[in-house]
Amino acid sequence: MLKSNYFKIFMKFNKVKFGKNLNLFGVPVIFKKKGSELNIGENCTIKSNFLSNLVGLNHRTIIVTRTEEAKINIGNNVGISGATIYARKGITIGDNTLIGGNVKILDNDFHPLEVEARNRDDKEMIKSKEVKIGKNCFIGCNSLILKGSKIGDGSVVGAGSVVAGIFSSNCVIVGNPAKIIKKL
């Protein structure tokens, strides 16, 4: 608990906004680029300790805004376990959503697609598109949520799914590529 209190002081110093009752199990990696926005709601739980989630976490939770214009908004009562949330543009996670162990939520390609731009390491050529995850969702362990994805309220993403696209509310999304298999 002592480490998490020190980490909360570091988060405040780095201008990460978080609501009351932020529960940290282990120490996450949270980095906010100057000029960007990173908000974590009230009553959130972030698990970064190997034994904090028995699904077996591969690493600590990583939450990063990588550009000045990036925004990450995490709602109230959100649970995150050993996930990576990495934004160059924007990622929104709705209230009461659970992010399972080792999930990756990425709003960008990390590298340019064109060979010349990649060889130049031209960061301006990295394609990004906002990700929105609705309220009351569950994202199963080891899932990958890719740039431009929108997941409607009350939806469930099956473990190990690769999500790219727009999905309506109250559905079960599974597979690679992910598709709707059931309406709830």
Side-chain angles (χ1 to χ4, degrees):
M1 187 59 127
L2 188 61
K3 284 183 186 178
S4 67
N5 287 333
Y6 283 124
F7 191 74
K8 288 177 185 178
I9 292 169
F10 170 76
M11 289 171 58
K12 284 184 180 182
F13 178 75
N14 195 26
K15 296 186 168 78
V16 173
K17 295 178 183 168
F18 58 91
K20 64 181 180 181
N21 300 322
L22 173 61
N23 298 302
L24 301 176
F25 294 87
V27 180
V29 175
I30 297 179
F31 174 79
K32 181 183 141 327
K33 177 87 169 184
K34 185 176 181 182
S36 68
E37 187 179 306
L38 202 164
N39 302 307
I40 301 170
E42 295 185 354
N43 305 310
C44 289
T45 300
I46 299 175
K47 295 182 177 183
S48 296
N49 181 312
F50 176 73
L51 292 175
S52 62
N53 184 324
L54 297 179
V55 76
L57 304 184
N58 294 337
H59 58 77
R60 298 185 284 169
T61 292
I62 301 169
I63 303 174
V64 175
T65 57
R66 199 65 178 132
T67 62
E68 291 179 9
E69 54 276 348
K71 294 179 182 175
I72 295 177
N73 289 300
I74 298 171
N76 298 321
N77 307 306
V78 171
I80 302 169
S81 293
T84 299
I85 301 169
Y86 186 103
R88 293 184 71 82
K89 191 169 201 92
I91 296 173
T92 302
I93 299 170
D95 295 344
N96 305 307
T97 288
L98 300 175
I99 309 295
N102 310 312
V103 167
K104 308 281 186 272
I105 303 171
L106 315 169
D107 74 349
N108 67 89
D109 290 331
F110 269 81
H111 299 283
L113 297 180
E114 299 77 21
V115 172
E116 296 81 16
R118 218 173 27 250
N119 289 340
R120 287 191 314 270
D121 195 27
D122 186 348
K123 304 285 189 226
E124 299 300 315
M125 296 295 292
I126 298 172
K127 292 187 168 110
S128 301
K129 196 169 180 186
E130 288 186 40
V131 170
K132 294 188 180 185
I133 299 173
K135 298 175 183 175
N136 303 305
C137 291
F138 176 74
I139 312 298
C141 69
N142 298 311
S143 293
L144 180 59
I145 312 298
L146 297 173
K147 75 176 191 284
S149 295
K150 291 181 176 36
I151 299 170
D153 294 346
S155 290
V156 174
V157 174
S161 295
V162 178
V163 178
I166 299 172
F167 297 88
S168 60
S169 297
N170 301 310
C171 60
V172 178
I173 306 160
V174 299
N176 179 8
K179 61 183 181 179
I180 296 173
I181 63 161
K182 180 179 181 178
K183 291 296 266 177
L184 298 173

